[in-house]
Amino acid sequence: MASTLSSRLPHLPSKPVFPPSNSGSTLLHFTSKIRFDQSRFRCSAGQTGFFTKLGRLLKEKAKSDVEKLFSGFSKTRDNLAVIDELLLYWNLSDTDRVLDELEEVLLVADFGPKITVKIVESLREDIYAGKIKSGSEIKSVLKKSILDLLTSKAPKTELSLGFRKPAVIMIVGVNGGGKTTSLGKLANRLKREGAKILLAAGDTFRAAASDQLEIWAERTGCEIVVAEKEKAKASSVISQAVKRGKEEGFDIVLCDTSGRLHTNYSLMEELVACKKVVSKIVNGAPNEILLVLDGTTGLNMLPQAREFNEVVGITGLILTKLDGSARGGCVVSVVDELGIPVKFVGVGEGVDDLQPFNAEEFVNAIFP
C-alpha cells in the first residue's frame, strides 16, 4: 500500500482533496493532507523566490547608487568635516578639549544628546586606557561605534515582503513629510526591478492627494485604485485595491494613507481600520508599515515615530529631505531611540533619489 501511495505523489492535483464527512478511510484522509501540504509548499516556494530576488536587486542597486547617497548627504558631510581638523594635531594632553568640541559637532548634526554622550565617553575611556593612540584611530573608532549601533539596534533594513502575493505596504505619516512622493518613488524603484505594482489612493482626507498619486501612477507606469465617490473611507479604497491585487496577480500593493498629526487620535484610529481590513484579505498583511519622517525636523521627529508605532506598529522608516539639511545624525538617533530600522532615505528631488538604506554606506557618506 505504501508503494502505491508513493507512486501517486508526482501526479497530485494542486488543490486539496478532503474525504467525505462520513468516510472512514484512514488512507484517503492521510492522502488529502499530503496533497494540501504539497500544494501549499509549491505556492510558497515560488513566491518566496520572487521577493528574495527583489530584495537582492534592491541591495545591488543601492550599492551602485552610492554616489547619490554621498551627494545627498553633502551638507551633513560638510558639517562633520571639522572633525578632521580637530583630530589632525590631537595629542593626549589635549584630549578633553578635543572631545568637548567633538561632542558639539555631533549635537549640531542631530546625533542627539544621549547617543552623543555615549559615543564621546566611550572614546574618552579608550583613549585614557591606551587603546587609541592617534587622531585617525579616534575617527575610525567613532565611525565603527555608529555603524555598530545601527546594525545591532535595527539590522533588517531590507523590505520584508513575506511569501504571499500580493505583498502589501502601507505608507503612513503626517502631512507635508513627503509621504505620497515617497510612495511614488518607491513604486518607481520596485517597478524597475520587475515587480507588478498596484497603487491604492487611500489618502481620502486631502482633496489633491488622489490627483497627486494618479500623476505618479502615470509617471511610473503603475495601475491605481482611487475612491469611486467623495468622502469615501480610506479602509474601503485600500480594501478594494488589495482585493484587486489578489485577484489579478499583482506582486505588491502600495497603499497611501491620509496624512495626520500624531496627536489626532480619531484619525490615527482610521489607520488601525486600514490595517485590519488588509489582514482579512491577505493573511499576514500588511507586510510593511513604513512611516515617512521629514529629516529637516531633526529630533522633533521622534514623538511622531513613538505615537505612530504605538498605534499601528511601524516596521520601518523612510527619512526624507535629508539632502536639504545638515541633520543626517537624526538617522542614528531614531534607530537608537526606537530600534526601528530605516529602510529608505530621500537624498534629492529626483524620481530615483529614494535610496535603500545601507548602514555602512551611510556612515561613509556622512563622514568625510
Side-chain angles (χ1 to χ4, degrees):
M1 184 178 295
S3 61
T4 302
L5 179 60
S6 177
S7 66
R8 292 176 59 191
L9 286 176
H11 307 288
L12 293 175
S14 59
K15 295 183 178 180
V17 178
F18 296 99
S21 58
N22 61 352
S23 171
S25 171
T26 303
L27 176 60
L28 180 58
H29 182 63
F30 176 66
T31 307
S32 70
K33 286 186 176 180
I34 294 178
R35 291 174 180 170
F36 177 79
D37 290 342
Q38 190 182 57
S39 169
R40 182 179 181 184
F41 174 78
R42 184 163 53 245
C43 175
S44 300
Q47 293 179 4
T48 300
F50 172 81
F51 288 134
T52 301
K53 180 182 178 182
L54 180 62
R56 185 176 69 250
L57 288 171
L58 289 177
K59 281 188 175 181
E60 291 172 354
K61 187 63 176 174
K63 290 181 180 178
S64 68
D65 286 346
V66 69
E67 288 304 318
K68 287 186 178 181
L69 189 67
F70 272 67
S71 62
F73 282 106
S74 60
K75 290 190 177 182
T76 300
R77 192 177 178 85
D78 291 343
N79 197 50
L80 294 175
V82 68
I83 291 177
D84 285 338
E85 297 176 25
L86 283 174
L87 301 178
L88 184 61
Y89 300 109
W90 170 84
N91 59 69
L92 188 60
S93 63
D94 210 22
T95 294
D96 288 337
R97 181 190 64 81
V98 168
L99 290 181
D100 286 345
E101 292 189 32
L102 175 61
E103 184 174 302
E104 289 183 22
V105 172
L106 295 177
L107 287 171
V108 169
D110 264 349
F111 276 85
K114 178 182 174 183
I115 190 172
T116 296
V117 171
K118 180 180 178 181
I119 290 172
V120 171
E121 289 309 309
S122 178
L123 287 172
R124 194 188 310 274
E125 289 177 10
D126 286 347
I127 290 171
Y128 285 124
K131 296 178 181 179
I132 299 176
K133 300 179 180 179
S134 68
S136 60
E137 286 183 6
I138 292 177
K139 184 176 178 180
S140 295
V141 174
L142 170 64
K143 291 175 64 175
K144 185 179 183 303
S145 64
I146 293 171
L147 178 60
D148 288 347
L149 185 148
L150 289 171
T151 53
S152 63
K153 286 287 187 74
K156 297 182 180 180
T157 59
E158 68 277 3
L159 286 175
S160 178
L161 300 178
F163 62 88
R164 293 181 180 88
K165 294 185 182 181
V168 181
I169 301 174
M170 285 177 56
I171 308 293
V172 303
V174 302
N175 282 326
K179 178 171 52 63
T180 303
T181 299
S182 295
L183 186 150
K185 291 179 180 180
L186 179 57
N188 178 68
R189 182 172 284 277
L190 294 170
K191 177 74 180 295
R192 283 187 329 189
E193 303 305 339
K196 185 180 180 183
I197 306 296
L198 180 63
L199 306 182
D203 186 350
T204 57
F205 189 73
R206 185 167 60 95
S210 291
D211 293 338
Q212 185 183 357
L213 196 61
E214 285 188 84
I215 292 172
W216 274 107
E218 183 177 351
R219 190 176 185 184
T220 58
C222 296
E223 296 188 48
I224 185 172
V225 172
V226 298
E228 297 176 353
K229 57 183 180 180
E230 291 185 8
K231 297 182 180 179
K233 289 186 177 180
S235 57
S236 175
V237 177
I238 289 175
S239 172
Q240 182 184 350
V242 175
K243 285 178 181 176
R244 180 182 167 187
K246 187 175 182 180
E247 292 167 358
E248 298 183 16
F250 282 86
D251 297 312
I252 301 171
V253 180
L254 285 173
C255 304
D256 197 8
T257 61
S258 300
R260 65 212 65 220
L261 290 174
H262 56 288
T263 53
N264 190 323
Y265 296 106
S266 61
L267 285 176
M268 291 291 278
E269 282 300 310
E270 186 183 82
L271 289 181
V272 177
C274 292
K275 182 179 179 180
K276 286 181 178 178
V277 76
V278 167
S279 66
K280 290 179 180 178
I281 302 169
V282 179
N283 191 26
N287 304 83
E288 292 274 12
I289 301 179
L290 303 180
L291 173 63
V292 177
L293 294 171
D294 183 343
T296 62
T297 63
L299 296 178
N300 291 325
M301 66 176 65
L302 285 172
Q304 295 177 30
R306 292 190 200 106
E307 195 65 42
F308 275 96
N309 187 47
E310 184 176 336
V311 173
V312 289
I314 302 303
T315 62
L317 304 170
I318 299 176
L319 298 188
T320 64
K321 306 180 185 180
L322 288 172
D323 58 311
S325 71
R327 294 178 152 185
C330 65
V331 175
V332 185
S333 295
V334 169
V335 173
D336 180 56
E337 170 89 12
L338 301 175
I340 299 173
V342 178
K343 302 213 169 184
F344 293 91
V345 289
V347 293
E349 296 297 326
V351 67
D352 297 323
D353 290 335
L354 185 72
Q355 298 290 308
F357 183 72
N358 179 291
E360 184 174 1
E361 298 297 350
F362 165 76
V363 173
N364 289 332
I366 64 173
F367 286 99

